[in-house]
Amino acid sequence: GRSGAHMEIVNGLKGRNLVQPVAVCDVYGPRAADASKRTGGTKVYRRHEDLLADPAVDIVCIATPDRHHAPQAIDAVRAGKDVYVEKPLTHWTQFELAARLADEAEKANRIVQVGTQYMADPAYGKVRDLLKAGAIGKPVQAQAGFFRRGDWGEVMPIPDESAKPGPDLDWERFLGEAPEVPFTVSRFFQWRLYWDYSGGPATDLLVHTYTPIFSMLGVDYPDRVCGMGGKWQYGGLREVPDTFNMVIDYPGGPSVVLMNTLSNETGCESFIRGTEGLLRFEGSRIILQPHGAKEPSHVIESIGYGDTGKLWLDLIECVKTRRRPLSPVDVGARVQAPLNMAILSYRESKVARFDREKRKIVI
């Protein structure tokens, strides 16, 4: 689904003479062939290392299962490529790779745009500056959520019920560092249902909601995180929860509450509460209002849910100028920490802590 969206965007950018599609890569032969056809007959690779060795490739877009994002992005920056890597930056077991990718990208002077498309909004930088200047005092609490009716995001379609490992389906490469288990068509095509390959709503959905708030708050790594929820409606082969909530405490504040369910699309208001005022999201506006004031002190126009196409345009400009992208990898790594901590907390029924000295999650 995501790679299809990227192909449409890249084809549009080609029409504007901004990029030229060169190659595609997939472990599933029919999908690789289809991708090549959709991008104008581009070269087909079955191993990402072979694509990265192609000197005609300048930028790679990584839209693989979660567990492959960071390893493939690290390989890409080491190969001298700039990168668009889909969220989440890593699988929930791989936080150390998120931090390593940020380090490797800086070392190699490579641009890495993390595909959290809500970040394609210049409003967040303006708000961050206002919060830093004390527009609502010290931020002490924030809340946000992501709500959806239905688990269609995880129950992805199975294009071939008779598919099996072989020349057209590289099961071992799909597994990567995941536990070795027997092949099933559901695990291969519906991988978001399974803990081995996905983090469920925390890393699929709440990452979108939280990344802009994190950016505006200007915080670093958290102190402690608690994750709660369960499979309250959807069963079957599903392993990841359909309802998931978390609380994130940062040293000295703020506390952040993130809420999610796939059973009901009724949303919640998003706020950042400060000692001297309130920030609230109201449609396409971000409003800052001091305590006791009848009128807002600032109203910032926002594009709301963001735009993947704008992130691509930003990436291309960054490739030319080498400036910092709108959704940078160091922010992605710092967002990944509390999301992974929440999943580990949920699975272990413990509070997760972060050791900043060792840059390590502790359960």
Side-chain angles (χ1 to χ4, degrees):
R2 289 307 298 158
S3 65
H6 289 300
M7 281 185 269
E8 287 187 19
I9 291 168
V10 168
N11 284 337
L13 296 172
K14 175 185 176 182
R16 297 166 61 180
N17 295 316
L18 294 173
V19 298
Q20 176 63 46
V22 173
V24 294
C25 180
D26 201 288
V27 297
Y28 183 51
R31 191 164 283 165
D34 178 66
S36 175
K37 182 178 178 180
R38 292 174 66 177
T39 51
T42 49
K43 190 179 296 185
V44 174
Y45 291 105
R46 301 297 301 281
R47 294 164 39 91
H48 77 275
E49 297 93 339
D50 297 332
L51 182 144
L52 293 177
D54 189 335
V57 174
D58 300 311
I59 303 171
V60 297
C61 175
I62 299 170
T64 47
D66 299 1
R67 196 179 277 275
H68 296 283
H69 288 178
Q72 290 174 342
I74 289 171
D75 286 349
V77 299
R78 288 176 176 173
K81 315 299 183 182
D82 294 315
V83 178
Y84 187 116
V85 57
E86 266 294 341
K87 60 77 191 168
L89 200 52
T90 67
H91 186 257
W92 57 270
T93 60
Q94 298 173 316
F95 167 72
E96 70 283 355
L97 288 183
R100 189 187 308 170
L101 172 57
D103 292 343
E104 293 268 358
E106 182 178 8
K107 178 181 176 182
N109 191 29
R110 293 294 97 193
I111 304 297
V112 178
Q113 182 88 286
V114 182
T116 312
Q117 60 263 31
Y118 287 22
M119 289 294 285
D121 191 336
Y124 302 134
K126 298 175 184 177
V127 174
R128 181 173 60 248
D129 291 342
L130 289 170
L131 293 183
K132 188 175 181 180
I136 61 169
K138 177 184 177 180
V140 292
Q141 199 266 351
Q143 72 177 50
F146 196 117
F147 302 93
R148 177 182 285 172
R149 173 71 173 158
D151 66 344
W152 46 267
E154 290 82 8
V155 185
M156 296 178 282
I158 297 175
D160 182 2
E161 290 280 0
S162 63
K164 58 184 179 181
D168 262 350
L169 194 162
D170 192 334
W171 176 240
E172 289 186 8
R173 182 162 280 265
F174 167 83
L175 288 176
E177 298 176 357
E180 293 186 18
V181 295
F183 170 83
T184 70
V185 291
S186 178
R187 279 183 173 267
F188 187 70
F189 292 114
Q190 299 177 318
W191 51 268
R192 284 195 176 97
L193 290 170
Y194 300 93
W195 282 121
D196 283 348
Y197 324 114
S198 172
T203 51
D204 279 349
L205 302 177
L206 288 173
V207 62
H208 286 303
T209 301
Y210 186 48
T211 304
I213 290 177
F214 174 93
S215 176
M216 288 185 285
L217 288 171
V219 289
D220 194 21
Y221 288 113
D223 181 17
R224 56 187 178 181
V225 179
C226 185
M228 293 163 285
K231 293 187 290 183
W232 305 146
Q233 179 175 1
Y234 302 107
L237 296 171
R238 183 187 189 91
E239 295 179 355
V240 298
D242 55 39
T243 297
F244 195 79
N245 310 294
M246 68 179 80
V247 179
I248 309 165
D249 278 350
Y250 286 93
S255 290
V256 180
V257 179
L258 300 177
M259 296 168 280
N260 160 267
T261 185
L262 303 181
S263 296
N264 193 301
E265 62 189 4
T266 306
C268 71
E269 292 188 89
S270 296
F271 294 118
I272 297 178
R273 298 177 175 91
T275 56
E276 305 299 329
L278 175 72
L279 179 153
R280 71 180 188 274
F281 294 80
E282 188 178 276
S284 62
R285 303 188 303 167
I286 301 174
I287 297 171
L288 288 79
Q289 190 157 348
H291 288 321
K294 294 183 179 180
E295 299 293 334
S297 59
H298 300 87
V299 177
I300 310 296
E301 293 297 324
S302 169
I303 61 175
Y305 291 117
D307 186 323
T308 303
K310 290 187 184 300
L311 275 192
W312 265 101
L313 287 171
D314 178 66
L315 172 60
I316 292 168
E317 184 63 24
C318 291
V319 168
K320 295 176 181 177
T321 64
R322 313 314 293 174
R323 69 163 172 78
R324 182 176 172 84
L326 286 172
S327 187
V329 66
D330 59 304
V331 168
R334 284 165 172 76
V335 168
Q336 194 68 39
L339 301 179
N340 287 16
M341 290 167 72
I343 294 170
L344 291 165
S345 166
Y346 166 78
R347 287 172 56 86
E348 299 290 334
S349 295
K350 296 179 180 179
V351 174
R353 296 185 175 273
F354 194 83
D355 184 330
R356 270 174 294 281
E357 183 176 337
K358 296 180 179 178
R359 205 166 60 172
K360 181 180 178 182
I361 296 171
V362 180
I363 297 293

